[in-house]
Amino acid sequence: MSPAKPQIFLVRHAESVHNVTKDFNIRDPGLTQVGHEQAAVLEASFPDLSSVAVVITSPLTRAIETTLDAFGSILLGGNNLILDPYLQERSDLPCDTGSPISVLKERFPSFPDVVWSSLAGNASGLDGDDWLEKKGDYAADDESVSKRAEKVRKILWNVAQNIQQAQKEEDKKAAEERGDLKTSIVVVTHGVFMKFLTEDETIDLPKAGWKDYYVGEADKFDGKGKRIPVKRSPPCRQNPPHLTSNTTRTPEPLNP
């Protein structure tokens, strides 16, 4: 039996303080109370939390808080959580500039060392904080952000391949019977960077909204990351855009 195609759930962070105040000089703002409630709705509306193999999130505070509120129950002590600076928002404004690892450790003291190692390891500086400088890989110009998005697509491709390989080495049927077959990848990021990641200028998810994709078996990279390895899985869904709504709506189709 061939392994299941891993799904990628692309998630936008919930409402942040600067989204409301429009004060973009706030450094690395967190969620509002409404934002925390939106993330709680995301947890309740997410189709299958038990299927999530790994959560890869932007290390900006609002993205981490969204991740904890929505997916904290499945983080397995942080062993399946990756903080990836490539997923940070596009601009070099203070609101889109993260906090040093030392500050994040104080803000999120429950995270084990493996989580901070993932952030430091994904950054190239010795202290793991070079991603805060918004230059090089993390610069805010279109060309740099596009290249960063290419790198994320390659990362997702590799993670999906690792999940499929793990399925091959495990008895898939037995895992299904146990109810612990994990084939999903959750990516928590930001509204503008999401446009570069999907190469779709029209994508505009609500706060704490999501869309799901699958990784096609035949998709290959040309070595330059030119081809998107993710394809939309039908139907393309997102969580309820308002706290009072219990219905889902279908956004415009993607054109990968």
Side-chain angles (χ1 to χ4, degrees):
M1 182 181 296
S2 60
K5 293 179 180 179
Q7 276 186 297
I8 296 175
F9 290 90
L10 191 60
V11 178
R12 187 178 184 182
H13 68 80
E15 181 186 86
S16 180
V17 171
H18 77 292
N19 296 141
V20 176
T21 65
K22 305 303 180 184
D23 183 355
F24 304 116
N25 289 314
I26 301 174
R27 174 74 178 263
D28 193 20
L31 298 182
T32 63
Q33 182 57 41
V34 169
H36 286 291
E37 293 170 359
Q38 289 172 335
V41 170
L42 172 59
E43 179 183 29
S45 66
F46 198 79
D48 187 3
L49 287 172
S50 66
S51 73
V52 176
V54 62
V55 180
I56 309 174
T57 183
S58 158
L60 270 63
T61 293
R62 58 189 181 272
I64 297 176
E65 289 182 343
T66 300
T67 297
L68 285 175
D69 287 350
F71 304 103
S73 63
I74 56 158
L75 288 182
L76 303 177
N79 290 323
N80 58 345
L81 173 64
I82 297 174
L83 304 181
D84 193 335
Y86 285 151
L87 289 171
Q88 66 180 292
E89 185 57 299
R90 175 247 177 87
S91 88
D92 56 3
L93 293 170
C95 63
D96 291 334
T97 302
S99 301
I101 291 178
S102 59
V103 173
L104 292 176
K105 284 184 174 180
E106 294 180 358
R107 200 167 288 169
F108 304 102
S110 64
F111 283 176
D113 289 341
V114 66
V115 172
W116 306 118
S117 296
S118 75
L119 177 55
N122 284 324
S124 58
L126 293 177
D127 59 1
D129 285 335
D130 61 318
W131 61 282
L132 304 176
E133 299 178 8
K134 297 290 187 173
K135 63 183 182 181
D137 283 349
Y138 311 109
D141 61 279
D142 283 355
E143 181 179 2
S144 296
V145 179
S146 294
K147 289 181 177 178
R148 176 155 58 92
E150 289 176 2
K151 292 180 178 181
V152 173
R153 292 193 293 269
K154 288 183 179 180
I155 289 169
L156 294 178
W157 172 255
N158 289 330
V159 171
Q161 293 302 298
N162 289 338
I163 289 174
Q164 288 190 311
Q165 182 60 39
Q167 289 182 52
K168 292 178 182 178
E169 295 172 357
E170 181 183 9
D171 185 345
K172 179 186 174 186
K173 183 177 181 179
E176 288 176 334
E177 291 175 349
R178 293 195 307 269
D180 61 357
L181 183 63
K182 299 185 183 301
T183 60
S184 301
I185 304 165
V186 170
V187 178
V188 183
T189 185
H190 305 266
V192 176
F193 181 70
M194 196 176 292
K195 297 178 183 293
F196 286 84
L197 181 58
T198 61
E199 294 188 326
D200 178 11
E201 285 290 333
T202 69
I203 189 172
D204 186 22
L205 298 183
K207 300 298 188 298
W210 57 267
K211 284 186 176 181
D212 60 322
Y213 306 80
Y214 70 90
V215 178
E217 292 181 0
D219 288 333
K220 302 292 182 183
F221 276 111
D222 60 6
K224 299 179 181 179
K226 293 298 185 182
R227 186 173 181 183
I228 301 178
V230 292
K231 291 187 176 181
R232 181 172 56 86
S233 61
C236 187
R237 303 182 297 269
Q238 60 193 50
N239 76 305
H242 305 294
L243 294 176
T244 56
S245 173
N246 290 319
T247 61
T248 58
R249 62 192 179 99
T250 302
E252 293 297 315
L254 294 179
N255 296 298

